[in-house]
Amino acid sequence: MAIISGSNRPGRVAPAASAWLQQQLATAHVAADIIDLAQVNLPFLPEAEPPAEGHYTHASTRNFAHLIDQYAGFVLVFGQYNWGYPAVLKNALDTVYAEWRGKPVATLIYGNHTMQADIAIRLVINGLRMRQLATNIATPVPASNDATTVAATLDPFAELVPPMAAEFAALI
């Protein structure tokens, strides 16, 4: 399983939130790697053909396809950006297609308008034919990107992680 840290903005909260989730999942006996989209550094839709065709000509796309294909499920961790989700996350979701299909996915969204971000991401998840879990986390934006502050904001939601882990286990 992988946690996708879905922001590349300076001062972002996603790395600390992803680390918190990774620790919580480990407590629930689920191993999860973190894929930080700021480090993956995908070009913006470089392929000439739609990803659904599966004809990846660029090494960056083939490498990302291989990375995504090796995981059985994902948790997307991101902040609400203007009632939606970050462009770097949309680009990652749009870069490949078949590699996402059928895989379970949950979200951890932080922000002041998480409901709108949840609606927006669910449309894309559905279009990619992923299996949205029933247990997802939506939380206010932490006061800072400091790991301790982020953990303090997320700790009240820790009780949602075991049901999320159980859903993944049932689908993987």
Side-chain angles (χ1 to χ4, degrees):
M1 167 196 262
I3 297 166
I4 297 183
S5 183
S7 175
N8 63 346
R9 184 178 277 178
R12 61 204 173 110
V13 172
S18 297
W20 175 87
L21 181 60
Q22 184 181 43
Q23 181 181 32
Q24 296 299 315
L25 285 168
T27 302
H29 308 292
V30 175
D33 295 330
I34 295 175
I35 299 172
D36 187 345
L37 293 180
Q39 294 175 3
V40 172
N41 198 23
L42 283 172
F44 187 75
L45 302 176
E47 299 292 340
E49 293 187 42
E53 299 297 323
H55 302 288
Y56 305 142
T57 60
H58 293 268
S60 61
T61 308
R62 288 191 306 271
N63 292 340
F64 188 66
H66 176 70
L67 177 66
I68 297 306
D69 200 38
Q70 70 181 323
Y71 292 102
F74 301 92
V75 180
L76 308 177
V77 176
F78 61 95
Q80 172 276 136
Y81 285 15
N82 299 319
W83 296 272
Y85 50 91
V88 69
L89 179 56
K90 177 66 167 144
N91 185 50
L93 292 168
D94 287 350
T95 294
V96 296
Y97 181 76
E99 294 75 12
W100 299 115
R101 188 179 190 102
K103 293 186 179 178
V105 62
T107 58
L108 187 163
I109 307 170
Y110 51 88
N112 296 322
H113 305 284
T114 57
M115 183 177 69
Q116 290 90 341
D118 181 57
I119 291 167
I121 199 73
R122 282 177 185 264
L123 293 171
V124 174
I125 288 168
N126 185 54
L128 291 170
R129 307 292 190 260
M130 297 178 83
R131 296 183 288 174
Q132 176 83 44
L133 298 186
T135 306
N136 298 277
I137 299 172
T139 178
V141 67
S144 80
N145 63 357
D146 171 74
T148 303
T149 303
V150 172
T153 302
L154 295 175
D155 279 345
F157 300 92
E159 65 188 32
L160 295 174
V161 176
M164 180 188 289
E167 285 184 70
F168 272 114
L171 292 173
I172 294 178

